[in-house]
Amino acid sequence: MGIRTGQQYIDALKSRKPEVWLNGKLVESVYDEPYFHQPIQEIAKLFDLQSDPNYQDELTHICKETGERVANSFLFAKSYEDIMKRSRAFEIVARQTFGLMGRTPDFLNTVVTSLAQNSWFLAKYNQDWAKNIENYYRHLRDNDIFLTHAIVNPQNDRSKTSQEQADQFTHLGVVEETTQGIIVRGAKMLATLAAITDEVIIYSFPGFAPGDERYALAFAVPVDVEGLKIICREPLQDGTRSTFDHPLASRYEEMDALLIFEDVLVPWDKVFLYNNVEAANLLYPMTGIAEQPAHQSGVRGYVKLAFAVEVACKVADSIGVDQFLNVQRDLGELVQSVEVIRALLRTAEHEFTITPQGEARLNPEALETIRGMMPEMYPRAIEVMQTIGAGGLLMMPTEADFDNPELRPSIDSHYGGRAGVDAEERIKIFKLAWDLCGEAFGMRALQYERYYTGDPIRKRAIYYTKFKNQHKFELVESILSKENGKAVKQST
Ligand SMILES: Cc1cc2nc3c(=O)[nH]c(=O)nc-3n(C[C@H](O)[C@H](O)[C@H](O)COP(=O)(O)OP(=O)(O)OC[C@H]3O[C@@H](n4cnc5c(N)ncnc54)[C@H](O)[C@@H]3O)c2cc1C
C-alpha cells in the first residue's frame, strides 16, 4: 500500500477498540472522543501531506523493494544525500505543528528503521529476532503504521531494581513462554499519543543487571491487543477550547499514557529481543537508535525553539519593550541559542561516518550536545517570554469578551500595544505566548524538552565520563611535557 491518507488513518482508528481510560471512564470510541478530536486531525493532516504534490517529493520516495511510495523516515541512510533527505522531511513535518508535537509518526519510523538497518546486531543473538524486526519494518513502511512507544519503567521506587519492586510484575516482564509467544505483565511509561496510534513498540534504556532477564525484552503489539490498558493522564484541553483563546493548546495536545499489560500474548514473530541482559544493554549503543531518532528530535526541537523565540520577540516588540537594553540582551541570547542548535545540526549532518555495515550515522557528539543543551535552552526561552510578557500575559480578555459589542470599544482602547499594534494583534500575540509559557499545555511542552529523551542530568554525566575516558587531553599533556626550567631573563 505505501503511504496512507489522513482518511485511511482515521478509518483504521475507527476500526479499533483499544482499552483507553480517560478521566476515570472507558472511552467508547477514540475517534468520537472530543479530547482526542484535534490531535487526530493534526496527525491526519500529516498523513495527507505525503500525497500533497507540494510536499510529496520531499516527504516520500519510491521504495526499491516494493515500487510503492513510502515515507522518507523509512529511508535507510547510506550517504549524506540520504541524511539530508531525511532532515528535510523531518523539518517539513515539524513545521506543521511548530515542533510542538514530538511524537509524530516520523519519530518511531526512524527508530524501527534504525533497528532494521542494524538487524545484524540482533542476529548475533538470535536469527529470528533479526528476521522479526526486518519484517516489522516492512509492515510499518508498507502500511504506513503510526506507532507509539514506552521505554521507561514507571517510577514506583527508583531506589530499587525491577526485580526488587513490590511485585515482580510492577515493571513489565515476561510471565511465561507458550508455543504461540510470550505472555507479558506489568507497566511501562510514558506512551505519548498511545490512544490514537495503531501499534506500540516496547524496548528499554540500558541498565539491566543479571537477574533482570524477564525485563530485558523488546516487542510490538497493536494498541487494541487483548489485555492492554491505556490510562491517560489528565487532559490539558477538552476539545472545545477556543482557538482564539488557546491557539496551541486547542490544537497540539499530545495525550500521554501509562500502559499496563495484563497477561498480553506477544506472538513470537513480534519478539525482537527477549531474556537477554547483554543484548538489551547493547541495543542502544549498537543499533543507532540513539543517533537516528536524535536527528528527528534535533530538527523538531530546532523548529520548536525557533518558534518560541519568535513568539518572545513578538511579545517584546508588540509592547515596545525591546527598546530596552536588558530585553535586547535576553532576546539576543535566545536568537543565538537557535543558531547554536542549527549549527550543531549542520555539524551532525556534515560530519557523518559510514559504519562497517554501510549505514550513514550522524556525528554523535553534536547530536548529544543538542540533547544536552535543549533542556536548558528551551526552558530559558520560556523564562524570558514570561519575564518580558510579565503581568500582561495574565490580563488578556477572552474570545467572548472580545466578541461582545458592549465591551469591544473598551478592549480596543485599552489592550492595544505600541504605535501600530492594535488590540486584536496584541491580544493574539499574548494569548499565543501564554499557551507556551503559562498554560498546562506549555508546561508539558517544557517538561517534554527536558525529559523526552531521558534524564538530562545522567545523560550529561554519561557524556562527560565517556569524554574523559576517550579524550587524550593532548593540549594539557603538551604543556606539561615542556622542559620545566627556570624563567629566563629577557635581555633588554
Ligand atoms: C512530556 C513527556 C513525554 C514523553 N514521551 C515519552 C514517550 O512517548 N515514550 C517513552 O517511552 N517515554 C516518554 N517520555 C518519558 C521519558 O523517557 C522519561 O520521562 C525520562 O526517561 C525520564 O525518566 P523518568 O521520568 O522516569 O524520571 P526518573 O528517571 O525517575 O528521574 C527522576 C529524578 O530522579 C533522578 N534520578 C532517578 N534515577 C536516578 C539515578 N539512578 N541516578 C541519579 N539520579 C537519578 C533524575 O535525575 C531526576 O531528577 C516522556 C516524558 C515526558 C516528560
Side-chain angles (χ1 to χ4, degrees), residues 1-10 12 16 43-51 56 59-60 68-74 104-106 109 136-147 196-199:
M1 179 173 88
I3 52 170
R4 279 194 296 183
T5 61
Q7 191 54 50
Q8 285 169 317
Y9 156 67
I10 287 171
R16 277 193 304 273
I43 296 293
K45 277 188 217 162
L46 294 179
F47 279 107
D48 276 338
L49 216 60
Q50 301 184 121
S51 307
Q56 187 164 72
L59 288 176
T60 66
E68 302 273 10
R69 194 168 275 284
V70 299
N72 278 353
S73 43
F74 290 118
T104 47
D106 52 341
N109 290 353
Y136 192 62
Y137 160 77
R138 289 191 190 98
H139 163 68
L140 291 194
R141 181 193 68 189
D142 301 340
N143 296 289
D144 215 2
I145 297 294
F146 181 18
L147 263 188
I196 64 165
T197 55
D198 300 305
E199 301 195 8

Side-chain angles (χ1 to χ4, degrees), residues 412-429:
D412 282 338
S413 44
H414 295 289
Y415 285 86
R418 62 149 174 80
V421 177
D422 65 18
E424 182 169 356
E425 184 180 352
R426 183 177 159 230
I427 292 165
K428 281 184 171 168
I429 291 170

Side-chain angles (χ1 to χ4, degrees), residues 102-103 107-108 148-156 158-159 188-194 201 203 205 233 254-257 284 443-459:
R103 301 305 194 201
F107 175 74
L108 280 156
T148 185
H149 74 322
I151 57 179
V152 180
N153 294 317
Q155 286 170 319
N156 308 113
R158 281 276 184 261
S159 69
K188 274 275 191 198
M189 73 173 200
L190 186 154
T192 296
L193 287 172
I201 186 167
Y203 52 98
F205 284 135
R233 63 155 163 75
E254 285 186 305
M255 176 56 78
D256 308 292
Y284 264 85
M443 294 304 100
R444 180 205 173 265
L446 187 152
Q447 196 71 339
Y448 183 87
E449 240 31 76
R450 284 205 179 107
Y451 286 108
Y452 77 88
T453 186
D455 171 20
I457 300 171
R458 276 172 288 165
K459 283 186 84 72

Side-chain angles (χ1 to χ4, degrees), residues 157-454:
D157 185 347
R158 281 276 184 261
S159 69
K160 293 191 165 74
T161 64
S162 295
Q163 30 175 328
E164 293 166 350
Q165 298 292 320
D167 182 295
Q168 65 175 330
F169 295 108
T170 299
H171 294 169
L172 180 68
V174 177
V175 181
E176 62 171 317
E177 288 181 24
T178 72
T179 49
Q180 293 157 294
I182 50 175
I183 307 289
V184 295
R185 188 187 301 166
K188 274 275 191 198
M189 73 173 200
L190 186 154
T192 296
L193 287 172
I196 64 165
T197 55
D198 300 305
E199 301 195 8
V200 52
I201 186 167
I202 300 290
Y203 52 98
S204 294
F205 284 135
F208 294 96
D212 286 335
E213 282 73 14
R214 73 167 76 245
Y215 311 103
L217 78 163
F219 65 84
V221 283
V223 286
D224 59 347
V225 68
E226 203 184 330
L228 175 58
K229 252 193 179 77
I230 300 174
I231 305 187
C232 299
R233 63 155 163 75
E234 185 181 2
L236 309 177
Q237 56 83 34
D238 62 2
T240 62
R241 294 179 100 186
S242 134
T243 47
F244 180 89
D245 288 333
H246 298 287
L248 302 174
S250 64
R251 292 185 170 103
Y252 305 120
E253 142 83 310
E254 285 186 305
M255 176 56 78
D256 308 292
L258 179 74
L259 303 185
I260 304 179
F261 293 79
E262 293 174 342
D263 290 1
V264 170
L265 169 69
V266 181
W268 283 117
D269 65 351
K270 293 289 162 49
V271 175
F272 313 130
L273 192 157
Y274 160 57
N275 196 27
N276 192 312
V277 163
E278 181 188 288
N281 281 337
L282 290 174
L283 192 72
Y284 264 85
M286 300 306 285
T287 61
I289 57 167
E291 292 92 0
Q292 301 292 17
H295 187 200
Q296 186 273 357
S297 313
V299 173
R300 186 218 35 89
Y302 160 66
V303 172
K304 180 170 164 182
L305 183 63
F307 174 62
V309 171
E310 278 192 22
V311 175
C313 292
K314 289 293 265 185
V315 166
D317 170 73
S318 71
I319 51 172
V321 294
D322 63 352
Q323 300 303 306
F324 304 124
L325 188 65
N326 56 315
V327 174
Q328 289 175 352
R329 196 222 74 90
D330 285 352
L331 291 174
E333 176 196 334
L334 299 194
V335 174
Q336 287 175 349
S337 71
V338 177
E339 282 305 295
V340 169
I341 299 297
R342 192 174 69 82
L344 284 166
L345 264 179
R346 296 292 93 93
T347 303
E349 288 160 348
H350 277 270
E351 294 183 1
F352 68 96
T353 50
I354 303 286
T355 66
Q357 290 76 28
E359 178 193 7
R361 284 226 187 132
L362 285 79
N363 177 325
E365 271 79 32
L367 289 177
E368 203 50 41
T369 306
I370 295 176
R371 284 177 148 171
M373 302 303 284
M374 279 295 281
E376 290 171 8
M377 286 175 169
Y378 187 77
R380 174 74 182 134
I382 296 306
E383 183 189 25
V384 169
M385 199 183 297
Q386 288 167 341
T387 314
I388 293 174
L393 289 165
L394 300 151
M395 291 310 301
M396 292 299 122
T398 63
E399 182 179 20
D401 296 325
F402 191 76
D403 286 345
N404 187 325
E406 250 185 84
L407 275 178
R408 187 61 194 266
S410 308
I411 288 174
D412 282 338
S413 44
H414 295 289
Y415 285 86
R418 62 149 174 80
V421 177
D422 65 18
E424 182 169 356
E425 184 180 352
R426 183 177 159 230
I427 292 165
K428 281 184 171 168
I429 291 170
F430 270 62
K431 280 182 171 292
L432 184 63
W434 185 242
D435 257 8
L436 268 184
C437 75
E439 269 285 310
F441 169 84
M443 294 304 100
R444 180 205 173 265
L446 187 152
Q447 196 71 339
Y448 183 87
E449 240 31 76
R450 284 205 179 107
Y451 286 108
Y452 77 88
T453 186

